[in-house]
Amino acid sequence: MTSNAYCFNTISNENDIQKKIDIILLEWSREVTEISVRYEHVRKDIYTKVYQVSSSLKNTSSTEDQVALLILKNQLQEQLELTNLSEVSDLSKIRYLKGLQIIKLLYEKMLSLDHHFASVATFNEINNLSNPNHYPRFVKHKQDIRSNGSKKQGFNLTDILGDNIYTSIMHSLVSLFTSNAPKGEKETSIKEIECILDFTLRMHTDLKTIYFETAFLQKSNDNTIEQLEQLFVDFTKPIKYRVPLKECRNTDDWSNIHEQLNSYITALNEAIADDNQRYKAHKMQINLEFPIDRLLQFITQYNSFIDQGGKFYEKFGIMLNSYENEKQCATEIPLEYKKLKDNITVAIEKFNTAYKPVEINGSKMKEILYGISEFD
């Protein structure tokens, strides 16, 4: 079907991925309706003939004619049953293909999210922002205090405590107060590092929270990717496609899935047409439809994860914008802090656009689960 062709192209733009999912859902609805309308016309013709045969049966007294009419009526009922089974087969193919397209696009979205989480902030970047020991002005201040301090009253911290934000600040302040420097010089020293101390002390906990919760989201995303890869295994198992999702994506092997699905549908239709294989056809039908239920469960899980991620980043934005002295200390706040704020703002926008939940309303849900369109 020509509407499926775009599924096999390489996806690069995140917003484009979301648009493609929306298009898939719209096409899904339209194609289900088209199939339902087409088969309904066929059924109406059969029902009309059945009604005519039934009327003829009532109006004839000839045994020979009655037998012929009963045979014809039985043939029409058999034709009706085959029509219904063929409709189910066509609907299953549509649902399967659309489900496969959604899996592929969701995988692209999850990989994009994985890249996003990895690039938002590393532990070293957060640590550098939240610890004054990574600010050259504060390091120089400690060195000056050490050289000017009272050797009788002062002491040096160990490497471990020296890197700790709280003990390092406390030691620096105590050393400054007990140093032999004049009062004015001490006040000047404090003035030079007050913004560094104020920013790191106020934002230390929030910045660490952002790092650890981002790491949590990234781990959750990794788990979701693994579940999607397993869903792909379950999804393609009935048609005997054995290539993992990652390899399928990297080698652009989607056309082979389509071919194996066509072979499966051909075998299904042959089983439908054979009275002795109706049970086999029923089992094949169930095997093809069951993965759709799993896909819907995953979409629900994906939507929940995206909602959670969006709320996390909104919270991060509030945290980063909560620093009260940003204007007064604008020249001392590192550029990395402003970049992190910008990244969080972009992330919030992405969670509302490129990563947003896959919306499936009540009517589309019926079409996915049961192949029932609004036409019905």
Side-chain angles (χ1 to χ4, degrees), residues 7 10 93 99 163 175 308 350 356:
C7 174
T10 301
K93 182 177 180 179
D163 288 335
S175 298
Q308 180 191 47
K350 283 188 174 184
K356 72 179 183 179

Side-chain angles (χ1 to χ4, degrees), residues 96-328:
Y96 190 92
L97 284 172
K98 296 303 180 186
L100 188 64
Q101 289 176 332
I102 289 178
I103 287 176
K104 182 182 188 299
L105 294 176
L106 284 176
Y107 192 56
E108 297 294 339
K109 286 164 76 80
M110 301 305 296
L111 293 178
S112 177
L113 267 170
D114 185 62
H115 175 73
H116 161 75
F117 288 132
S119 64
V120 167
T122 65
F123 179 77
N124 286 335
E125 290 171 345
I126 290 291
N127 191 45
N128 291 345
L129 282 175
S130 62
N131 194 326
N133 293 298
H134 294 283
Y135 289 71
R137 189 186 294 274
F138 182 74
V139 173
K140 182 179 182 302
H141 166 79
K142 289 201 303 181
Q143 292 172 346
D144 291 342
I145 290 177
R146 186 177 302 169
S147 61
N148 296 328
S150 171
K151 295 183 178 180
K152 291 183 179 180
Q153 299 179 25
F155 66 95
N156 293 325
L157 293 174
T158 63
D159 290 340
I160 293 177
L161 291 179
D163 288 335
N164 183 285
I165 173 177
Y166 300 109
T167 55
S168 179
I169 290 175
M170 182 174 64
H171 178 264
S172 296
L173 292 176
V174 170
S175 298
L176 178 62
F177 291 141
T178 59
S179 73
N180 298 322
K183 178 181 177 182
E185 186 177 323
K186 292 180 181 181
E187 291 177 347
T188 300
S189 295
I190 287 292
K191 189 70 175 178
E192 288 178 349
I193 62 170
E194 65 176 347
C195 279
I196 294 174
L197 298 182
D198 183 68
F199 175 76
T200 53
L201 283 172
R202 287 177 184 269
M203 299 302 297
H204 178 76
T205 300
D206 286 343
L207 288 169
K208 286 294 181 69
T209 297
I210 290 173
Y211 166 75
F212 285 115
E213 292 192 349
T214 298
F216 166 76
L217 288 173
Q218 185 171 18
K219 180 62 177 176
S220 298
N221 189 62
D222 291 342
N223 292 336
T224 305
I225 289 176
E226 290 178 5
Q227 291 172 9
L228 182 58
E229 290 173 339
Q230 183 57 50
L231 172 61
F232 180 79
V233 171
D234 297 337
F235 207 90
T236 54
K237 184 178 180 179
I239 62 174
K240 297 182 180 179
Y241 183 80
R242 306 300 186 206
V243 180
L245 178 54
K246 183 178 181 179
E247 183 179 343
C248 175
R249 173 185 180 271
N250 292 339
T251 60
D252 197 23
D253 198 40
W254 303 96
S255 58
N256 282 333
I257 301 178
H258 204 160
E259 290 176 4
Q260 289 187 225
L261 173 62
N262 287 335
S263 298
Y264 188 89
I265 293 296
T266 298
L268 173 59
N269 290 334
E270 289 174 353
I272 288 173
D274 188 341
D275 289 342
N276 297 323
Q277 297 191 59
R278 290 288 169 82
Y279 179 70
K280 176 184 176 182
H282 179 66
K283 287 183 63 177
M284 293 179 69
Q285 191 75 49
I286 291 175
N287 290 336
L288 199 62
E289 292 180 354
F290 179 70
I292 301 296
D293 295 339
R294 294 284 309 280
L295 173 59
L296 283 177
Q297 293 172 14
F298 178 83
I299 289 175
T300 299
Q301 179 182 344
Y302 170 83
N303 288 348
S304 176
F305 173 66
I306 295 301
D307 285 337
Q308 180 191 47
K311 291 175 182 176
F312 267 87
Y313 275 89
E314 288 176 2
K315 181 175 70 173
F316 297 163
I318 294 173
M319 287 178 171
L320 291 175
N321 288 317
S322 67
Y323 179 50
E324 300 174 356
N325 297 318
E326 184 171 355
K327 290 184 178 179
Q328 297 93 310

